[in-house]
Amino acid sequence: GLSHIPIRSMDEYATLLNLQNTPTNSTMLVNILAVVKSVGPTKTLNSKSGKLLERCEVKLFDETWQTFSLFIWDKDVIELAKTWQSKNSVLFIVDVQVKFDEFRQSIVATFGPKTIVIT
């Protein structure tokens, strides 16, 4: 439906280098234009409440940054990600959550409920 038509211009996006300046205590919604470097395997994890969750890590790159992690927790989006081709699929990702990940000690992106991807 119409809810999936992006309302942003294709030139409104952050480079992966710019995202490295995300404050460590904040979460931002940004747009990213990047190329798929790799699509990792789907991993099954236990949530704190004991629920089984699936997660897929997609590595992205652009002309400013070599490797940037995008985490996907939605089964349908994981299935879509499995069709993306390394060094061939260009993604325009709208309203993706970006924050500092304590565990990885780096800035990462997480596909959220309002995130849209255009391939």
Side-chain angles (χ1 to χ4, degrees), residues 3 6 13 25 35 40 42 44 46 55 77 86 110 119:
S3 64
Y13 63 89
N25 58 350
V35 181
T42 302
T44 303
N46 276 318
R55 186 198 79 195
V77 181
S86 176
T110 302
T119 54

Side-chain angles (χ1 to χ4, degrees), residues 50-62:
K51 185 179 171 187
L52 284 180
L53 301 171
E54 290 187 347
R55 186 198 79 195
C56 177
E57 181 178 3
V58 177
K59 301 275 190 179
L60 304 173
F61 72 94
D62 68 9

Side-chain angles (χ1 to χ4, degrees), residues 2-19:
L2 292 177
S3 64
H4 293 287
I5 297 174
I7 55 171
R8 301 251 181 5
S9 168
M10 288 290 283
D11 61 3
E12 291 180 26
Y13 63 89
T15 66
L16 300 180
L17 175 62
N18 288 346
L19 296 178

Side-chain angles (χ1 to χ4, degrees), residues 30-43:
V30 300
N31 303 332
I32 297 173
L33 179 66
V35 181
V36 173
K37 188 172 194 173
S38 64
V39 178
T42 302
K43 294 184 178 178

Side-chain angles (χ1 to χ4, degrees), residues 70-82:
L70 167 67
F71 292 99
I72 303 171
W73 296 86
D74 180 277
K75 286 183 182 183
D76 293 334
V77 181
I78 290 173
E79 288 305 308
L80 175 64
K82 297 294 181 188

Side-chain angles (χ1 to χ4, degrees), residues 9 21 36 45 54 60 62 64 66 81 92-93 103 113 115:
S9 168
N21 298 321
V36 173
L45 306 167
E54 290 187 347
L60 304 173
D62 68 9
T64 67
Q66 290 185 355
F92 184 59
I93 309 166
F103 179 73
T115 306

